[in-house]
Amino acid sequence: MRRLLLVTGLLLAGCTTPEAGSPTPGEQPTEPPTTTTTITTTTTIAETQERPRDLEMAGLDICGLVGSLPLATFGLDQDRPPTGGTSTSFPGSQDCFANGVEANLGLTIVAVVDQGAAEYADGANAEVSETVVDGFPLYLLKPAAPDSCFGAVDVADGQMLYVNYGLSSPGSEPVTPQGTLCERVPRIAAAALAEL
């Protein structure tokens, strides 16, 4: 009798243990959770603005360009020739620097040959705003340090005209407020584009 009960118990135990992947009566198949994905796209001024033409930065006489600007208007020395060379910020690109000793201001313009303005602005550690200067998209970059302001002009695919304007000796007098520096960057860019 014990043997019969033991065999019956084993048979019952075998019938109640489900095998992996086999549903037992009463189980409901689970449905995958439904998810809703919302894609939001934002269109910026620079993305919708088409350049009036492409401006090639390779081979540009960047110091000739800087020297042709109305430098005194921006607090820079008109009678001192600008100096140029290979950019340390954008290796392989040429830059040119103009100084304003009395105003404690400096301007560096770089003819960047291997990076686009939007790409640069996207990775910049600065507050970015966008505008258009003479038909060209301009990314205005306001860094946390208040002694400078930058501009990246979209002049061609993978190229930009980069403007770095600020105090030539931070901590020295006079001090031009960053708001004023950022107001002048689009004007500097416009003056440069007019020469190109």
Side-chain angles (χ1 to χ4, degrees):
M1 186 69 165
R2 269 190 203 162
R3 188 178 287 171
L4 182 58
L5 286 173
L6 183 60
V7 171
T8 305
L10 289 173
L11 287 173
L12 288 174
C15 290
T16 59
T17 305
E19 291 185 24
S22 302
T24 58
E27 285 185 1
Q28 296 296 321
T30 56
E31 300 208 10
T34 56
T35 58
T36 304
T37 304
T38 303
I39 299 173
T40 304
T41 57
T42 54
T43 304
T44 63
I45 294 171
E47 288 173 340
T48 58
Q49 177 67 33
E50 291 188 25
R51 298 181 293 267
R53 63 192 182 282
D54 287 349
L55 298 173
E56 184 64 41
M57 294 292 99
L60 177 66
D61 177 7
I62 194 67
C63 275
L65 173 65
V66 172
S68 69
L69 300 178
L71 297 174
T73 303
F74 306 114
L76 304 166
D77 299 336
Q78 191 79 49
D79 56 348
R80 184 186 308 237
T83 58
T86 301
S87 173
T88 55
S89 300
F90 302 97
S93 298
Q94 297 298 304
D95 67 9
C96 192
F97 174 77
N99 198 13
V101 176
E102 287 187 26
N104 187 29
L105 290 170
L107 169 68
T108 301
I109 296 183
V110 188
V112 181
V113 297
D114 60 356
Q115 188 173 22
E119 176 190 357
Y120 178 79
D122 189 46
N125 185 17
E127 178 185 318
V128 180
S129 58
E130 301 169 32
T131 188
V132 177
V133 175
D134 289 346
F136 290 87
L138 168 70
Y139 295 86
L140 189 66
L141 300 108
K142 184 179 179 183
D147 55 0
S148 62
C149 194
F150 313 115
V153 184
D154 178 12
V155 294
D157 291 345
Q159 300 181 61
M160 68 174 161
L161 187 68
Y162 183 77
V163 178
N164 176 345
Y165 181 62
L167 304 181
S168 55
S169 298
S172 298
E173 296 290 332
V175 175
T176 302
Q178 190 177 42
T180 302
L181 298 173
C182 288
E183 285 172 9
R184 291 179 183 171
V185 167
R187 293 169 43 209
I188 294 168
L193 289 169
E195 296 296 324
L196 296 173

